[in-house]
Amino acid sequence: MNEHDSEKMSALLENVGFTQVSAAEAADVVVINTCSIREKAEHKVYSALGKLKSLKKKNPAVITVVAGCVAQQEKENLLHRAPHLDLVLGTHSIAQLPNLVEQVGQSRRQLESTAFAGDVESLHMNAPLKGKNQICSYVTIMQGCSNFCTYCVVPFTRGPEQSRKLDEIVDEVRDLVKRGIKEITLLGQNVNAYGKDLNNGTLFNDLLKELNGIPELSRIRFTTSHPRDFNDNMAAAMADLKSVCEHIHLPLQSGSDRILAAMNRGYASLEYMDKLQRLRERIPNVAVTTDIIVGFPGETQADFEDTQRALQIIRFDQIFSFKFSRRPGTAAREFPDQVPEEIKTERLSAVHRIQDEITLQHHKNAEGAIEEVLIEGIKNGNGQPFGRTRTNKIVNIEGSERIREGDLLKVRIVRGLKHSLLGSLIN
Ligand code: 5AD
Ligand code: SF4
């Protein structure tokens, strides 16, 4: 979501005549897009602010902007803290970036724009012309989150859940496809709740069906799904709709029911496993990835063992794991029995050890399989083409000069490595 916001901001500035430069020293405007999901991400902002200070000293005309979730969270405090900062741009103000930059340029006064927009239409959600590459694009389908998991800052920094209209999304995807995009990733904090707030009967499955009907679009991905809202209908849609890829990112967070309840996740671990089991029955080769938090307040050794056990039972293809981080405004920040840092560190390493072995095993099991790979690029250094399987695994392809970006190829997996697969083209 954050990456896509950066793409939008750079496209909006390019629309009014700016061009990207490779060094901050050469820029007229510097935008730092920020994340506040964990403390570590937020800390990066403060070291970046230090760099802006020296930049401003050398070139007082440069316009400095902090955007994103830290901007939203800290608002005008950032302007007090960093007098060399010109503009604080909240998560709902992205579309106003060019205007505000112009205003700052004229008035040379510090500005802040962090109000939440009343409706999703004012947020300028269209995908920019230049995305992460010319083959794959993100498409925002909803903004914000209303779940209030007790550890999470997102409902505060991105506001309440609001879905975009189905027609608007479909038009955007058609446009992308005309420009040569072959794969889209639908973005939302909780995509399976898509449409509920529209109150017109449209739900996530309707959107998937509609998009699956666009013939030139090869692949549809989506993230993130919430286990509580994931159901059999969605599993059926994934199985039946040709363009919908066989991969789901379904954050479990913890294997302990006590902790899941304290997190306000709205499901128990068995329920999660049950839903997954039914999905795997429909799509045996489905890839499943997840997020895990270790060291949530009150997490005992026994709770943590439940998480370890869940990892062993479920055997995710890949996980993203984090130490619990106390975030401003969240309920869990104030919970008793905060877990000491050393224990969090130990638990995180234990989780890594378990999962590294499982991921490698998945990759080894893929050896010999024939996979469809969408080529996303050619590596600069060695000219090696790379892409992803439908199950979202990275495949580097052994030398073939005929391969071009955007090709959809049948590839035999010859080796499963720690982070990727090695494939060779089938003639
Ligand atoms: N501490 C640690 N991890 C967090 N996440 C969200 N908030 C926190 C927090 N306060 C993780 C969750 C979520 C992912 C995007 O980030 O696992 O799924
Ligand atoms: Fe945060 Fe929970 Fe919403 Fe995900 S579902 S963005 S973890 S509040």
Side-chain angles (χ1 to χ4, degrees):
M1 187 74 81
N2 182 276
E3 243 176 78
H4 191 42
D5 286 348
S6 296
E7 292 171 1
K8 287 178 195 167
M9 286 188 263
S10 100
L12 285 162
L13 290 175
E14 284 181 35
N15 279 348
V16 295
F18 287 94
T19 51
Q20 260 186 51
V21 288
S22 51
E25 287 72 23
D28 298 315
V29 180
V30 177
V31 183
I32 298 179
N33 191 20
T34 65
C35 171
S36 73
I37 194 87
R38 284 170 294 275
E39 206 177 352
K40 205 163 137 199
E42 192 178 333
H43 277 160
K44 290 187 188 162
V45 181
Y46 296 107
S47 63
L49 277 178
K51 285 192 196 126
L52 281 190
K53 192 172 179 179
S54 53
L55 207 65
K56 191 85 172 180
K57 221 170 174 178
K58 279 188 218 138
N59 173 14
V62 67
I63 294 177
T64 53
V65 186
V66 169
C69 285
V70 177
Q72 188 63 49
Q73 182 185 295
E74 296 301 317
K75 301 192 170 78
E76 69 275 4
N77 291 340
L78 277 178
L79 295 176
H80 301 314
R81 189 165 172 167
H84 55 283
L85 184 60
D86 294 307
L87 174 61
V88 170
L89 190 79
T91 52
H92 286 202
S93 303
I94 291 175
Q96 286 131 30
L97 175 63
N99 266 340
L100 292 170
V101 162
E102 197 188 329
Q103 272 183 47
V104 169
Q106 281 167 3
S107 70
R108 297 302 335 183
R109 297 239 307 267
Q110 288 186 310
L111 276 182
E112 172 246 346
S113 173
T114 52
F116 279 149
D119 66 89
V120 82
E121 263 145 67
S122 58
L123 298 179
H124 184 91
M125 295 246 173
N126 279 355
L129 278 167
K130 275 199 300 185
K132 50 183 169 171
N133 58 42
Q134 299 304 297
I135 309 302
C136 312
S137 181
Y138 294 121
V139 174
T140 308
I141 65 166
M142 56 209 296
Q143 157 81 25
C145 182
S146 307
N147 279 318
F148 293 94
C149 301
T150 54
Y151 51 80
C152 187
V153 80
V154 169
F156 304 98
T157 58
R158 289 191 179 266
E161 204 160 271
Q162 289 172 283
S163 304
R164 288 176 73 193
K165 289 201 185 95
L166 183 133
D167 291 350
E168 197 186 301
I169 300 170
V170 174
D171 285 349
E172 179 177 326
V173 175
R174 284 190 198 284
D175 239 35
L176 287 166
V177 166
K178 269 193 212 133
R179 291 184 346 220
I181 293 292
K182 300 248 161 55
E183 174 185 301
I184 53 159
T185 301
L186 306 175
L187 292 180
Q189 307 300 341
N190 179 12
V191 291
N192 19 29
Y194 171 79
K196 285 184 183 166
D197 58 306
L198 292 173
N199 293 320
N200 62 4
T202 309
L203 291 175
F204 187 53
N205 275 3
D206 302 306
L207 178 62
L208 288 180
K209 272 181 207 142
E210 201 69 34
L211 297 174
N212 188 63
I214 301 178
E216 304 83 358
L217 182 64
S218 310
R219 292 178 168 187
I220 302 168
R221 303 186 184 281
F222 50 86
T223 195
T224 291
S225 305
H226 194 301
R228 185 199 53 217
D229 299 321
F230 183 80
N231 57 27
D232 251 7
N233 281 344
M234 250 195 89
M238 282 180 73
D240 296 345
L241 302 173
K242 194 172 98 311
S243 308
V244 176
C245 288
E246 294 74 34
H247 168 227
I248 187 161
H249 184 67
L250 200 61
L252 172 65
Q253 311 296 4
S254 167
S256 153
D257 291 344
R258 227 174 51 82
I259 297 297
L260 286 171
M263 286 175 163
N264 189 30
R265 290 291 289 173
Y267 54 86
S269 64
L270 267 182
E271 234 175 301
Y272 180 102
M273 290 188 207
D274 204 47
K275 287 184 180 189
L276 205 54
Q277 179 56 30
R278 291 213 294 273
L279 175 67
R280 281 173 164 166
E281 276 162 20
R282 284 185 195 270
I283 313 175
N285 68 332
V286 69
V288 186
T289 55
T290 207
D291 292 340
I292 295 288
I293 297 177
V294 298
F296 187 81
E299 184 185 74
T300 61
Q301 184 58 27
D303 292 319
F304 179 59
E305 281 163 18
D306 285 345
T307 297
Q308 290 175 293
R309 205 163 18 247
L311 293 177
Q312 300 283 15
I313 294 171
I314 298 170
R315 300 187 69 76
F316 291 106
D317 289 76
Q318 179 68 274
I319 71 167
F320 301 90
S321 46
F322 315 102
K323 293 187 221 176
F324 168 72
S325 170
R326 297 173 77 174
R327 305 314 295 132
T330 62
R333 181 193 173 87
E334 311 305 335
F335 282 0
D337 304 322
Q338 297 282 331
V339 174
E341 189 60 26
E342 313 82 75
I343 296 185
K344 287 185 196 170
T345 305
E346 266 170 36
R347 289 182 182 168
L348 190 66
S349 329
V351 158
H352 285 166
R353 274 198 303 278
I354 294 172
Q355 187 59 39
D356 284 354
E357 205 186 309
I358 295 173
T359 301
L360 181 64
Q361 201 54 55
H362 276 293
H363 288 176
K364 291 243 172 273
N365 290 348
E367 288 177 3
I370 294 174
E371 294 277 356
E372 179 201 274
V373 176
L374 176 61
I375 302 299
E376 289 179 22
I378 314 289
K379 277 190 198 154
N380 281 336
N382 57 4
Q384 190 175 40
F386 63 92
R388 279 167 207 269
T389 62
R390 288 178 60 95
T391 50
N392 208 32
K393 296 190 168 49
I394 297 171
V395 186
N396 294 304
I397 298 175
E398 289 181 323
S400 168
E401 275 138 34
R402 289 169 292 144
I403 300 178
R404 298 279 170 270
E405 225 178 68
D407 287 352
L408 205 56
L409 305 170
K410 288 273 179 245
V411 168
R412 184 185 307 280
I413 304 304
V414 292
R415 274 189 70 192
L417 305 164
K418 198 171 163 195
H419 299 294
S420 63
L421 305 173
L422 187 66
S424 77
L425 198 60
I426 297 174
N427 290 308

